[in-house]
Amino acid sequence: MQPMGNEKPGPPNFPGRPAISPFAAAPQTAMPFLSSGAVVRSEAPGYGVAPPVRFNGPSVLTLPSSYVSPNVGFNQPFPTPHFPSSAQPVPPSRGPPSAPRPVQPSAGQQVLPPPVSFHSQPQFPSVPMGPPPQILNLATPTGNFPQSPLESSFPAPRPTPLPSWSPLESSSPAARPSLQQSFHGYPGRQGNTVTQVPPAQSPFPTHQGSYIPAPPAQSPPFLAHQGGYAPPPPLAATVGLNSRDQMQHPGTGPPVGSLQGLVEEFSFLSLGSAPGSIDPGLDSKALPRPLDGDVEPNSFTEMYPLNCNPRYLRLTTSAIPNSQSLLSRWHLPLGAVVHPLAEAPHGEEVPVVNFGPVGIIRCRRCRAYVNPYVTFTDGGRKWRCNICALLNDVSGEYFSHLDVTGRRIDLDQRPELTKGSVEFVAPTENMVRPPMPPLYFFLIDVSLSAVRSGMLEIVAQTIKSCLDDLPGFPRTQIGFLTFDSTLHFYNMKASDSFDYLLYGKIAYLFFTIRISSLTQPQMMVVSDLDNIFVPLPDDLLVNLSESRSVVDVFLDSLPSMFHDNGNVESAFGPALKAASMIMRQLGGKLLIFQSTLPSLGVGRLKLRGDDLRIYGTDKEYALRIPEDPFYKQMAADLTKFQIGVNVYAFSDKYTDIASLGTLAKYTGGQVCYYPSFQSANHNEKLRYELARDLTRETAWEAVMRIRCGKGVRFTTYHGHFMLRSADLLALPAVDCDKAFAVQLSLEDTLLTTQTVYFQVALLYTSSSGERRIRVHTAAAPVVADLGEMYRRADTGAIVSLFSRLAIEKTLYQKLEDARHSVQLRIVKALREYRNLYAVQHRLGGRMIYPESLKFLPLYGLALCKSMPLRGGYADAQIDERGAAGYTMMTLPVKMLLKLLYPSLIRIDEYLVKASAKVDELGNFSKRLPLAAASLDPKGLYIYDDGYRFIIWFGRMLSPDIATNLIGIDLSGFPDLSKVSLCEHDNEVSRKLMGLLKKFRESQPSFYQLCHLVRQGEQPREGLLLFANLVEDQIGGTSGYVDWILQMHRQVQQSA
């Protein structure tokens, strides 16, 4: 970042702002294999660009060259070779670091080259940055040594011993003792002892704001700029020194294109061929699995402590490519997952800042909000925007003097300058209209199926139980409309009179009844579905606190009002239009309870999917998109009036979720699907999820915009919203369970900045009627190294973008094409990464990948087997597939990964242990691979995907455990579909119910129903459990081992 142009000179003894950026890329001479021309959207040739040498090498799976069954055995990692080191004596200096004094190695000692500065230095020639060399075995250190390419740039060695450094370092402050990053199933190797020399500390003060470089040796006599920012660690390790996440050079900032070590410590499997065997030759136990769930990228947070927490914003890679040609070799999605209202743990809430009459401090050009990465200058009278670099004036009310280090003296009292996430109280200029009160409007199907299933009764009871907890008291508004073949409006306003109107096609019946006070709701029926008429529009929405008694009476009487209703028709379209007419003045949340396929009036739908010949053809996608454009048009109108829609669908028949879900998709809502709903089995799930929907904090009348620095822009957005302009997302009602994905592109052929900043701004109305702006800010470095992009990849964010892109692809292509696109992009990424090391290493049958992406192939397989993408007609019903797709489009990263790769835990040992507590479950059982081989007939297992529990009883499970849990003898009751799990008066049952309660509390967004299944109980066992064991071959799909072999074969074919 260039120095500010209006700096005023200060005392000559103050260090100044350097002219050299700490993120400056290595000079061109240091990368002799780099292509000189920019390649836009082209695939790199098989030879590719030689990468910089690095210590943290790829993880490797060794695969057979021909897939015949080999004898599986474990090889030790490649030994670290001995290289002579040479360096020049370096006198003490305040300038950039120079190499430590090398020494003549003793016999048997590892010798690695010295650390090299990342900036050009006149005393050293340029260093070629080639890929890692071949593994060398040197007999003794006293003979003639071959000189490495790195060492050839340095003078002759000095006779001072150079210690052996550990190539692999932990991202935590303490270095790990192990050199090898091993996977499940094969051992690691103890590394050499490291004698760490601490780096020299820079004598210059730290700076707040954007990533300001440390001063050069000769600092100009200018004041340092204000900061509240600790300098981040470098992006990559120097040769033979600390972890790339922790090492800092004295006098220099974190480098961008850093050198790798000359030796790669590969984790690999050694496979041998066994003639005549059909074994694939790959031990499934050694394959990487995410048995610890999603792990947020902590190293990135440590590098940039002023960034917002990853729970709010996660980049697919925390290293932004500096050119179009580099981006074209990335092959994975480049973007981010945004979760603006994520629930924070207690004590980590987002601080609220109220500037009062001063108004929010914003850049006058790009309109970015003040954040920790802005810098103050001119004695605190100006501040520079980190997004667009414009110099803005500081108002008198916000002015603060700077101390001798350039920091504002009130920095500790300014959360907006020290926190990556903050919430501003918005002034009136951010309001198009005064904040509206929270409004909940219920559109309820009262046809025959809704009454018989028990849905109507449970919905009425749940709404009544939540009235005291609805947000926004005492401003909350409420209203109801029921429908079957006619529309039923309800006046619940506590007034001195009411009007009763019956409106039909033939005659009008209108009369007024005068009473002293309204104690019961009055129903008005409209049967003309072609010309919707809303009677008494001013009395259909009531203030809950004023009409609470009338609302209670209505909800108590609602089930009995339609108890004998035999109407099987559904006028859902006309009812939806009527609800829109009622709500358009205030906006709010529209909750739809639909149990019958719409059959009357506008928006009526017909049964689709009964023609099996359409599956597998180019017309198959038509089943997964709305049949009638009415619903998308209605969604646009609802968004215009700030109405968000949540759809609750109940049916054992086809209800066209693809069409109904469009209402939620474009209004920021959600789809909850309860197939074959019966109150006896599903009442707890419906009660919990509806209660959470009504009582969780909601952001009303919201819009969201994501800003980014120069040269980068967001191109596509994925989730549930309406895109109001090129970059403005309209969200009538959004909550803590909604996440969004975005894709990035580069506007320029070559980025000239060293850091890219991102800022998410959500403008919304709180339930209390306060207009607020939640702002999340993050920074990421710009790199010129493809390997660095892969090493800093975030698998969770990549899979989230992958899933949304694949689900959207099913809306206009075949399922097979969507699955193929996922596999193809993963193969291209692995191929490109392999090309970085293919020249210097004899990879043979080994499959290599970066440590950060070791779970990506498995998640790709799980995505292809997920409900929206799996199989064809026989593998999932149309409605189930559509509902799962709508749900996955809104899930945050952790919940999505849990859905794709659920947990499988054995619990019988924990249950029978007398002294075991819930918190001690991990001492008895760990998560198991999702394969049938993990199931022991003597065990009891829980399968948890975040939406349901499947409890599997082994055939040889102790009868006492089964009897204590379900209260019956398992041997005499083979069908567990009719058995409900409840707590019995014994310790085993109480411990199991406590365990399930703990699991539910850890994932509160949905309620997990329990499904009991016994080993051998078909077809329930196959449908509930075996079909979801993603590592097995089921229904013609690939297993995990076959998936890896198939990917490796494709990588080798084009490598």
Side-chain angles (χ1 to χ4, degrees):
M1 192 167 182
Q2 296 301 324
M4 311 230 177
N6 58 348
E7 298 178 8
K8 293 188 176 181
N13 59 336
F14 290 158
R17 190 181 179 93
I20 301 175
S21 168
F23 291 92
Q28 182 66 24
T29 56
M31 301 184 65
F33 297 103
L34 187 63
S35 173
S36 59
V39 181
V40 181
R41 301 188 179 275
S42 62
E43 186 175 337
Y47 189 80
V49 177
V53 192
R54 176 169 299 277
F55 263 109
N56 278 1
S59 304
V60 180
L61 282 177
T62 305
L63 302 177
S65 55
S66 60
Y67 301 124
V68 257
S69 176
N71 295 324
V72 180
F74 294 98
N75 279 353
Q76 295 297 326
F78 290 132
T80 306
H82 305 282
F83 290 102
S85 170
S86 60
Q88 195 174 12
V90 181
S93 171
R94 294 179 59 193
S98 55
R101 297 189 172 194
V103 289
Q104 195 69 8
S106 60
Q109 186 181 23
Q110 284 187 346
V111 179
L112 296 180
V116 182
S117 172
F118 295 94
H119 299 280
S120 57
Q121 303 179 36
Q123 64 268 32
F124 297 132
S126 33
V127 181
M129 298 174 63
Q134 296 282 353
I135 303 301
L136 301 179
N137 293 321
L138 304 181
T140 63
T142 58
N144 296 327
F145 293 96
Q147 197 171 21
S148 72
L150 180 63
E151 296 164 335
S152 63
S153 304
F154 295 89
R158 291 175 58 88
T160 308
L162 178 67
S164 299
W165 301 96
S166 173
L168 298 179
E169 295 287 336
S170 168
S171 60
S172 59
R176 294 181 181 176
S178 175
L179 278 174
Q180 180 179 358
Q181 300 179 2
S182 59
F183 296 123
H184 305 284
Y186 59 98
R189 182 169 63 86
Q190 187 71 20
N192 296 334
T193 305
V194 177
T195 304
Q196 181 66 51
V197 179
Q201 298 298 324
S202 173
F204 302 102
T206 57
H207 299 267
Q208 185 211 356
S210 57
Y211 287 84
I212 301 177
Q218 301 298 328
S219 300
F222 297 121
L223 275 175
H225 295 290
Q226 183 251 346
Y229 148 79
L235 300 184
T238 53
V239 177
L241 289 179
N242 259 354
S243 164
R244 66 175 181 267
D245 294 333
Q246 299 175 18
M247 180 60 196
Q248 282 193 2
H249 295 288
T252 62
V256 173
S258 56
L259 301 180
Q260 294 179 343
L262 295 178
V263 182
E264 298 290 349
E265 284 286 347
F266 288 160
S267 301
F268 67 94
L269 291 175
S270 176
L271 305 176
S273 299
S277 174
I278 61 173
D279 183 27
L282 183 61
D283 185 6
S284 63
K285 295 181 180 179
L287 295 174
R289 295 175 176 89
L291 300 182
D292 294 328
D294 175 47
V295 179
E296 293 179 348
N298 293 327
S299 61
F300 186 48
T301 305
E302 294 171 359
M303 286 175 53
Y304 301 95
L306 299 181
N307 276 8
C308 64
N309 193 286
R311 75 173 68 96
Y312 303 114
L313 176 66
R314 290 176 66 167
L315 298 172
T316 56
T317 176
S318 56
I320 306 300
N322 71 338
S323 64
Q324 294 279 5
S325 59
L326 187 60
L327 177 58
S328 66
R329 299 171 57 200
W330 167 241
H331 296 301
L332 298 174
L334 180 65
V337 179
V338 181
H339 192 190
L341 295 176
E343 289 182 307
H346 180 69
E348 299 182 22
E349 292 82 3
V350 176
V352 179
V353 177
N354 189 350
F355 286 107
V358 179
I360 300 177
I361 309 300
R362 303 181 65 180
C363 175
R364 67 175 185 269
R365 179 164 64 190
C366 70
R367 306 304 293 162
Y369 297 88
V370 65
N371 62 81
Y373 294 110
V374 305
T375 53
F376 288 81
T377 184
D378 194 14
R381 288 182 288 271
K382 294 184 181 295
W383 65 276
R384 188 176 298 277
C385 175
N386 58 301
I387 300 293
C388 69
L390 180 69
L391 203 61
N392 296 269
D393 294 327
V394 177
S395 63
E397 295 84 353
Y398 195 66
F399 172 80
S400 175
H401 291 285
L402 308 182
D403 61 15
V404 294
T405 64
R407 300 170 181 262
R408 287 175 59 110
I409 61 176
D410 65 344
L411 190 65
D412 295 337
Q413 288 77 40
R414 294 292 184 184
E416 69 274 13
L417 298 179
T418 57
K419 303 290 185 181
S421 297
V422 70
E423 202 161 84
F424 298 111
V425 177
T428 55
E429 65 185 33
N430 294 94
M431 304 180 189
V432 178
R433 61 177 182 175
M436 297 291 107
L439 168 60
Y440 293 88
F441 194 85
F442 300 92
L443 187 61
I444 306 175
D445 184 355
V446 293
S447 61
L448 177 63
S449 61
V451 176
R452 284 187 175 179
S453 65
M455 178 270 285
L456 183 60
E457 181 178 3
I458 295 177
V459 167
Q461 293 174 357
T462 305
I463 295 174
K464 181 181 179 181
S465 66
C466 296
L467 292 179
D468 291 331
D469 299 321
L470 291 181
F473 178 85
R475 304 167 61 246
T476 308
Q477 302 281 315
I478 196 170
F480 296 88
L481 192 155
T482 60
F483 64 94
D484 44 25
S485 61
T486 57
L487 311 184
H488 319 130
F489 299 87
Y490 299 91
N491 173 23
M492 289 178 286
K493 193 169 186 178
S495 59
D496 293 333
S497 66
F498 69 89
D499 301 311
Y500 188 90
L501 174 67
L502 179 60
Y503 175 62
K505 292 186 176 181
I506 301 177
Y508 296 85
L509 178 60
F510 182 86
F511 55 90
T512 301
I513 300 178
R514 300 288 178 179
I515 60 174
S516 59
S517 178
L518 184 63
T519 58
Q520 292 186 348
Q522 306 300 320
M523 182 173 68
M524 293 156 283
V525 180
V526 173
S527 59
D528 188 350
L529 305 181
D530 297 327
N531 300 292
I532 302 300
F533 174 78
V534 178
L536 304 178
D538 296 333
D539 296 336
L540 299 179
L541 298 178
V542 297
N543 183 284
L544 180 59
S545 60
E546 296 176 357
S547 303
R548 174 61 185 272
S549 60
V550 183
V551 174
D552 286 341
V553 171
F554 168 74
L555 292 173
D556 289 335
S557 60
L558 180 59
S560 59
M561 289 168 57
F562 299 96
H563 183 267
D564 298 327
N565 188 13
N567 199 321
V568 297
E569 302 292 343
S570 172
F572 174 68
L576 181 64
K577 292 189 66 175
S580 173
M581 297 168 65
I582 297 171
M583 299 178 65
R584 64 178 54 190
Q585 296 298 325
L586 298 179
K589 182 180 289 187
L590 173 61
L591 293 95
I592 297 172
F593 302 89
Q594 171 71 17
S595 183
T596 306
L597 183 70
S599 57
L600 298 175
V602 63
R604 57 182 173 270
L605 300 171
K606 61 183 180 181
L607 181 64
R608 297 190 291 169
D610 52 351
D611 187 2
L612 302 184
R613 294 173 298 178
I614 196 174
Y615 291 94
T617 67
D618 294 336
K619 298 181 179 180
E620 174 189 341
Y621 74 89
L623 301 176
R624 296 185 287 272
I625 61 176
E627 177 188 6
D628 193 335
F630 163 79
Y631 291 97
K632 186 173 182 179
Q633 182 59 49
M634 280 300 305
D637 294 340
L638 293 170
T639 303
K640 178 181 178 182
F641 299 119
Q642 299 293 345
I643 301 172
V645 178
N646 288 350
V647 178
Y648 291 80
F650 314 82
S651 180
D652 55 353
K653 300 178 181 178
Y654 178 70
T655 54
D656 201 347
I657 296 295
S659 297
L660 300 181
T662 306
L663 299 169
K665 177 179 179 180
Y666 293 107
T667 61
Q670 67 185 39
V671 176
C672 299
Y673 181 52
Y674 305 86
S676 303
F677 179 85
Q678 292 297 325
S679 60
N681 301 326
H682 304 91
N683 69 89
E684 292 181 354
K685 182 175 179 65
L686 176 57
R687 290 180 192 275
Y688 177 89
E689 294 177 356
L690 177 56
R692 177 173 174 82
D693 187 6
L694 294 176
T695 58
R696 65 188 170 193
E697 187 57 45
T698 301
W700 310 88
E701 305 176 285
V703 291
M704 185 173 71
R705 176 176 275 123
I706 308 177
R707 296 177 174 88
C708 50
K710 182 181 178 182
V712 180
R713 67 184 181 93
F714 290 102
T715 53
T716 60
Y717 300 82
H718 311 276
H720 285 188
F721 54 84
M722 178 68 76
L723 199 60
R724 184 174 295 179
S725 63
D727 62 345
L728 186 65
L729 279 61
L731 304 166
V734 63
D735 52 67
C736 59
D737 295 327
K738 305 295 188 302
F740 310 89
V742 292
Q743 285 197 98
L744 279 169
S745 67
L746 302 185
E747 290 183 318
D748 302 328
T749 304
L750 186 66
L751 292 184
T752 57
T753 59
Q754 277 70 49
T755 308
V756 174
Y757 300 94
F758 305 94
Q759 189 174 84
V760 180
L762 180 73
L763 173 64
Y764 71 96
T765 300
S766 66
S767 296
S768 60
E770 195 172 41
R771 199 75 170 146
R772 290 186 175 184
I773 306 172
R774 176 167 289 202
V775 178
H776 304 294
T777 307
V782 177
V783 301
D785 179 14
L786 181 63
E788 190 69 20
M789 292 183 63
Y790 281 109
R791 280 184 291 273
R792 300 205 171 275
D794 183 348
T795 298
I798 291 173
V799 173
S800 294
L801 257 172
F802 260 152
S803 64
R804 286 163 168 85
L805 293 172
I807 291 172
E808 289 177 351
K809 189 179 286 289
T810 63
L811 303 182
Y812 57 89
Q813 290 187 2
K814 296 185 293 185
L815 294 174
E816 181 181 358
D817 295 336
R819 294 192 295 265
H820 179 70
S821 68
V822 173
Q823 183 180 9
L824 182 61
R825 295 191 70 171
I826 298 177
V827 168
K828 285 184 177 181
L830 295 178
R831 180 191 307 153
E832 193 70 48
Y833 189 76
R834 183 184 180 89
N835 288 340
L836 296 178
Y837 300 94
V839 177
Q840 266 65 31
H841 292 278
R842 298 175 182 176
L843 300 178
R846 297 193 301 273
M847 178 178 180
I848 71 168
Y849 45 80
E851 180 72 13
S852 61
L853 297 179
K854 62 183 179 181
F855 302 136
L856 183 60
L858 178 56
Y859 279 127
L861 174 63
L863 178 59
C864 292
K865 291 186 175 184
S866 64
M867 185 66 72
L869 300 181
R870 67 169 57 168
Y873 167 75
D875 297 283
Q877 296 182 0
I878 300 176
D879 282 343
E880 287 183 307
R881 199 186 294 276
Y886 283 124
T887 298
M888 291 174 62
M889 288 293 291
T890 64
L891 286 183
V893 175
K894 287 185 177 293
M895 294 179 61
L896 177 64
L897 298 187
K898 179 70 175 290
L899 177 62
L900 292 178
Y901 196 86
S903 60
L904 181 65
I905 303 175
R906 182 169 181 173
I907 60 172
D908 55 295
E909 296 178 359
Y910 158 75
L911 295 179
V912 298
K913 185 70 173 181
S915 59
K917 298 181 180 180
V918 175
D919 297 335
E920 300 175 358
L921 175 64
N923 299 331
F924 295 91
S925 182
K926 303 294 185 182
R927 289 182 60 177
L928 301 172
L930 287 179
S934 301
L935 301 175
D936 184 354
K938 298 180 180 180
L940 180 70
Y941 296 81
I942 289 184
Y943 170 94
D944 173 21
D945 62 1
Y947 292 85
R948 58 182 175 175
F949 295 142
I950 298 174
I951 302 181
W952 186 83
F953 292 78
R955 184 182 292 109
M956 301 173 64
L957 177 67
S958 169
D960 294 337
I961 297 178
T963 303
N964 288 334
L965 292 180
I966 61 180
I968 59 175
D969 185 4
L970 195 61
S971 60
F973 203 90
D975 185 9
L976 296 183
S977 62
K978 300 178 182 179
V979 178
S980 60
L981 189 65
C982 59
E983 184 172 323
H984 296 276
D985 189 16
N986 60 78
E987 186 64 22
V988 174
S989 178
R990 283 190 290 268
K991 290 174 69 174
L992 176 61
M993 299 307 292
L995 183 63
L996 298 181
K997 180 181 178 181
K998 180 183 177 182
F999 286 166
R1000 288 178 176 129
E1001 290 174 350
S1002 65
Q1003 41 201 12
S1005 297
F1006 298 91
Y1007 184 88
Q1008 299 81 25
L1009 276 180
C1010 280
H1011 301 269
L1012 308 183
V1013 62
R1014 185 183 181 185
Q1015 183 180 7
E1017 181 184 346
Q1018 298 297 341
R1020 294 185 69 248
E1021 184 183 31
L1023 294 175
L1024 290 176
L1025 185 61
F1026 289 159
N1028 298 299
L1029 299 180
V1030 298
E1031 296 191 25
D1032 287 341
Q1033 294 179 345
I1034 299 176
T1037 60
S1038 298
Y1040 191 13
V1041 173
D1042 294 332
W1043 178 262
I1044 292 293
L1045 296 176
Q1046 183 181 3
M1047 280 192 168
H1048 181 63
R1049 182 172 62 252
Q1050 295 177 3
V1051 168
Q1052 286 188 315
Q1053 286 175 350
S1054 303

